[in-house]
Amino acid sequence: MHRIIIDGDPGHDDILAFLVALAHPEEIEILAYTTVVGNARVEDCSRNVLKVQDYFGIQIPVAQGYDQPLTRELHLAGQFHGPSGLDGAPFLIPSKRKVEGKHAIEYLKDILEKSEQKVEIVSMGPLTNIAMLIKTYPQVIDKIERLIMMGGCFSLGNALAKSEFNIFHDPEAAKIVFDSPLKIVMAGIESCFAGSILLKDIEELKPEGRATYLLKSILTFYSQYAYKNNWDRIPIFDVTPIMYLLKPEIFREEEYHVEVEIKGELTLGMTVCDQRGPVYLPVVENPKKVLMDCDREEFSREFFASFRRLDER
Ligand code: RIB
Ligand code: CA
């Protein structure tokens, strides 16, 4: 059983990832959801995950985190997610529930200190909350089994040529996390593109229940930029770390020493995956697992099957 905390900036793909995890209660127990600014303002991210929970009648605690990067200007991603951060599903009713009274890092600290077993953190947004958690309360690192994160890239960027949005949004936070003793699995852009969903599969999707109805609405909105760019598929980035939890065997992973660039002009936020062998690179203490590729068919099959499982709930 994976006992996880999700930290994200929902966000269409964040919500899809949350729902894929929810569809597998026999394998994944979600202890809490912490929100961070990224795709949208942090208040909107909290509102989005609360109204999706109401839609499914579930009550997983939501604790709200940072509303700004540690030092940088705010860059939201309204061009992909709309001003609300989850446009395209107007039938989702704003929740009457509130977020937890504590800040996300206080809430995380309490959960981790109280937990007898180690917990896996799955991050799907900028690393501001995670960085401030381990900086403020370094003792909790021992209670974190590993951080499985959507973020970074081996070589193909999106925010910049070599930088991925979640890292680029708060490079200083990412540097704190990557330089820490945390065990990290990095689901970078390459592995997310490898698991892309075909637009024709979205077009052919026939909703049979609440979950597939919501799925069709979310993907129809979220895939607009793919049509504009004449793509035949769309990456659903944040589903990747959850799919890795469920089916690690469909991924190809490699190990690298990874550091985050915080000074570059063209490379700000780059996750520098060091390919030098032992001849030129001193011993690497804490290499990161970098997901490089995956079986797209299997990824897509499991993705759609997860929503059919939620329909049957
Ligand atoms: O670069 C993709 C990442 O940025 C995803 O997590 C998406 O939700 C946005 O946060
Ligand atoms: Ca995200």
Side-chain angles (χ1 to χ4, degrees):
M1 175 66 86
H2 296 281
R3 299 173 70 249
I4 73 169
I5 291 166
I6 295 178
D7 183 80
D9 57 342
H12 292 74
D13 55 325
D14 303 68
I15 290 298
L16 295 178
F18 176 51
L19 296 176
V20 170
L22 278 176
H24 294 82
E26 74 290 351
E27 293 182 71
I28 297 178
E29 181 188 359
I30 306 174
L31 304 176
Y33 196 118
T34 51
T35 55
V36 65
V37 64
N39 286 322
R41 296 177 326 117
V42 71
E43 298 80 3
D44 291 325
C45 294
S46 301
R47 257 195 285 279
N48 291 336
V49 66
L50 285 170
K51 66 185 180 182
V52 167
Q53 287 199 34
D54 283 5
Y55 181 76
F56 286 100
I58 51 176
Q59 298 228 342
I60 291 170
V62 176
Q64 187 163 297
Y66 286 88
D67 63 0
Q68 290 284 338
L70 296 184
T71 64
R72 302 274 167 178
E73 283 290 298
L74 197 48
H75 296 278
L76 302 179
Q79 69 275 35
F80 299 107
H81 301 279
S84 75
L86 193 65
D87 284 21
F91 50 86
L92 291 176
I93 300 157
S95 176
K96 292 191 172 53
R97 273 180 67 194
K98 297 274 175 275
V99 296
E100 297 299 312
K102 289 177 183 167
H103 187 280
I105 70 164
E106 306 305 327
Y107 196 83
L108 288 170
K109 177 213 171 228
D110 290 350
I111 281 194
L112 291 168
E113 286 193 334
K114 286 190 191 117
S115 175
E116 275 156 36
Q117 299 147 294
K118 289 195 174 192
V119 173
E120 293 172 286
I121 296 184
V122 184
S123 70
M124 306 179 180
L127 291 167
T128 316
N129 287 345
I130 310 303
M132 290 309 292
L133 169 69
I134 61 176
K135 193 163 182 228
T136 315
Y137 303 110
Q139 71 273 21
V140 302
I141 289 177
D142 287 345
K143 299 301 279 298
I144 301 170
E145 182 172 338
R146 58 182 176 172
L147 169 68
I148 308 172
M149 53 168 289
M150 191 281 125
C153 61
F154 183 71
S155 171
L156 169 66
N158 55 11
L160 295 180
K162 296 289 183 185
S163 306
E164 180 278 326
F165 175 84
N166 286 338
I167 309 298
F168 175 72
H169 188 275
D170 196 343
E172 283 73 17
K175 178 169 178 56
I176 291 168
V177 172
F178 274 82
D179 290 355
S180 80
L182 280 178
K183 290 276 165 255
I184 293 176
V185 176
M186 184 177 107
I189 288 182
E190 290 84 359
S191 60
C192 300
F193 269 82
S196 290
I197 301 298
L198 300 181
L199 297 184
K200 76 169 180 57
D201 290 344
I202 300 172
E203 290 157 10
E204 290 164 8
L205 175 65
K206 302 251 176 310
E208 287 148 18
R210 297 168 69 75
T212 42
Y213 182 77
L214 176 60
L215 174 63
K216 181 96 175 180
S217 307
I218 286 180
L219 285 175
T220 300
F221 179 88
Y222 186 59
S223 55
Q224 288 175 89
Y225 76 96
Y227 285 98
K228 280 187 200 128
N229 290 288
N230 294 319
W231 293 356
D232 70 343
R233 62 195 66 194
I234 183 162
I236 44 176
F237 296 97
D238 296 328
V239 175
T240 311
I242 296 295
M243 198 61 77
Y244 179 76
L245 276 185
L246 294 168
K247 302 179 86 66
E249 69 280 2
I250 72 169
F251 288 86
R252 179 167 64 83
E253 63 187 56
E254 293 174 1
E255 283 202 343
Y256 292 99
H257 175 59
V258 183
E259 295 195 48
V260 178
E261 175 59 73
I262 59 170
K263 293 192 170 58
E265 188 183 336
L266 300 177
T267 56
L268 178 65
M270 178 178 179
T271 42
V272 180
C273 299
D274 200 326
Q275 292 174 274
R276 291 174 296 170
V279 174
Y280 299 107
L281 178 65
V283 172
V284 175
E285 258 94 53
N286 180 16
K288 308 329 182 209
K289 284 186 191 296
V290 177
L291 304 188
M292 305 296 286
D293 197 357
C294 78
D295 177 332
R296 197 207 70 74
E297 305 267 316
E298 259 310 289
F299 187 110
S300 179
R301 194 199 53 71
E302 183 58 49
F303 174 71
F304 285 106
S306 298
F307 287 83
R308 285 193 293 275
R309 290 181 75 170
L310 288 173
D311 273 350
E312 287 148 24
R313 280 277 170 81

